[in-house]
Amino acid sequence: MGIFSRTLSIAAASTAAAVMVAALAGPAQAAEKKINIGWTAWSDAEAVTTLAKKIMEDRMGYTVQLTMADIGIQYQGIATGNLDAMLMSWQPLTHKPYLDKVRQDVVDLGPMYTRAKLGWVVPAYIPESELKSIEDLKKPEVKQKLGSKIQGIDPGAGLMQASETALKDYGLTDYQLISASDAAMLAGVERAERRKEWIVATSWSPHWMFAKHELRYLDDPKGSLGGLESVNKLVRKGFYQDQPEAYEFLGRMVLPLADVEAIMFEAQGSSYEQAVDNYIKNNPERIEYWVTGQMKAG
């Protein structure tokens, strides 16, 4: 789910909407070496999308357009052929409602990375003896310290839908799930940490916040927020016939989770472009395999 800053300012959202309208005005250009990739401003999505764009443009001669849009719009864009690809399909749970609607109309190229996870996190300074599991949120003293609030992200995220399910599954009817953004969630965690206040925030792995803050996931014995997930790449039907090199490249593009988190963390101190440049420089054999399908003889 990055993820990524997940929220746009009003101005940025307007710009993104305009771009999306323009992008969906007609079929994606297929015959040219031009690709339209949908993405949402989640930090992990920004990391892998920037990486794919950089390699495809510099090594493969493609022109890559990035179209920012809500995740549900991206699934529809792939299904209708107005987008060529998206690189952040969380499966099997988080994006199930979106994927179920278009499953017959898209092509799944498999994982971009695995061992992704959604959950609710708390700062490590909150004693586990008082708050270890989502079940513990029902304790009156815990509810009071949290102000009966769960800090969320943008309302379109699958994590928010799973969180609504968790509230029902655990009977947390007195709690408010706050819709905000990735940035607002992070600001809330940082503010709470400075004041050593209690907070429960929706989060996910990979995320650079785990490298900056001492956090832990709350146990989820009912499995409402899902277990380990795979973040897959989806392309439109006919994409292979139109862009076989790009199809093969995306099919081979698989990163270890730790590499995704390393790019995300480095980008916080520089930029995604700089972090991606360094990743490409430091992983030449992996990049070569993605581009050519050839593995260096051992």
Side-chain angles (χ1 to χ4, degrees):
M1 165 181 4
I3 297 343
F4 5 165
S5 167
R6 291 189 180 237
T7 296
L8 303 173
S9 65
I10 294 175
S14 299
T15 301
V19 170
M20 189 63 195
V21 169
L24 299 185
Q29 298 299 312
E32 307 171 37
K33 296 192 76 169
K34 182 177 180 181
I35 294 177
N36 189 351
I37 300 177
W39 74 298
T40 298
W42 301 337
S43 54
D44 56 344
E46 188 159 9
V48 298
T49 304
T50 303
L51 179 59
K53 180 178 189 293
K54 179 71 174 178
I55 296 170
M56 296 176 77
E57 289 186 337
D58 289 359
R59 289 290 308 274
M60 303 172 69
Y62 282 91
T63 299
V64 180
Q65 176 184 350
L66 302 183
T67 298
M68 184 182 290
D70 182 82
I71 192 70
I73 294 175
Q74 291 180 53
Y75 277 91
Q76 288 298 321
I78 299 295
T80 59
N82 289 313
L83 288 174
D84 291 309
M86 59 180 289
L87 309 180
M88 50 186 179
S89 175
W90 282 59
Q91 302 180 29
L93 177 65
T94 304
H95 288 176
K96 185 176 186 301
Y98 299 118
L99 187 56
D100 283 349
K101 293 180 180 178
V102 302
R103 195 179 299 275
Q104 303 304 315
D105 301 312
V106 302
V107 178
D108 190 340
L109 295 185
M112 172 69 79
Y113 56 90
T114 57
R115 297 186 174 274
K117 180 179 181 179
L118 303 180
W120 292 354
V121 299
V122 298
Y125 57 76
I126 295 180
E128 289 192 47
S129 59
E130 298 180 51
L131 179 54
K132 184 175 187 297
S133 164
I134 295 178
E135 291 277 13
D136 291 332
L137 295 175
K138 288 186 284 190
K139 297 176 180 176
E141 64 274 19
V142 171
K143 187 167 63 176
Q144 182 179 14
K145 289 180 179 178
L146 294 169
S148 301
K149 295 178 181 177
I150 307 294
Q151 177 64 58
I153 52 175
D154 55 284
L159 174 55
M160 291 296 279
Q161 297 178 23
S163 294
E164 292 285 0
T165 299
L167 289 175
K168 295 177 182 175
D169 290 349
Y170 288 92
L172 302 173
T173 54
D174 294 338
Y175 275 83
Q176 177 187 5
L177 178 63
I178 300 174
S179 296
S181 65
D182 182 16
M185 180 273 288
L186 289 167
V189 170
E190 291 181 356
R191 183 170 55 251
E193 191 171 71
R194 285 196 305 272
R195 301 172 179 173
K196 290 297 181 275
E197 295 176 343
W198 284 37
I199 187 172
V200 173
T202 59
S203 188
W204 59 92
S205 298
H207 197 299
W208 58 265
M209 67 189 296
F210 290 96
K212 184 176 183 180
H213 305 288
E214 289 190 41
L215 303 167
R216 57 181 167 80
Y217 282 102
L218 294 181
D219 293 346
D220 177 17
K222 296 182 184 294
S224 303
L225 297 171
L228 291 177
E229 298 209 53
S230 171
V231 179
N232 288 18
K233 303 151 288 192
L234 300 185
V235 298
R236 62 175 171 81
K237 283 192 170 180
F239 183 63
Y240 172 64
Q241 286 71 24
D242 295 332
Q243 304 286 1
E245 292 180 17
Y247 180 99
E248 292 164 353
F249 164 76
L250 290 175
R252 289 189 291 263
M253 187 181 178
V254 182
L255 290 87
L257 181 68
D259 287 19
V260 181
E261 292 179 323
I263 294 172
M264 295 163 64
F265 184 62
E266 182 179 343
Q268 303 312 305
S270 55
S271 67
Y272 286 95
E273 288 74 17
Q274 183 62 56
V276 159
D277 283 346
N278 289 336
Y279 186 80
I280 293 172
K281 179 182 177 181
N282 295 328
N283 295 274
E285 293 182 5
R286 173 169 290 152
I287 305 304
E288 185 68 18
Y289 169 70
W290 291 350
V291 173
T292 67
Q294 301 296 314
M295 299 181 70
K296 186 177 181 180

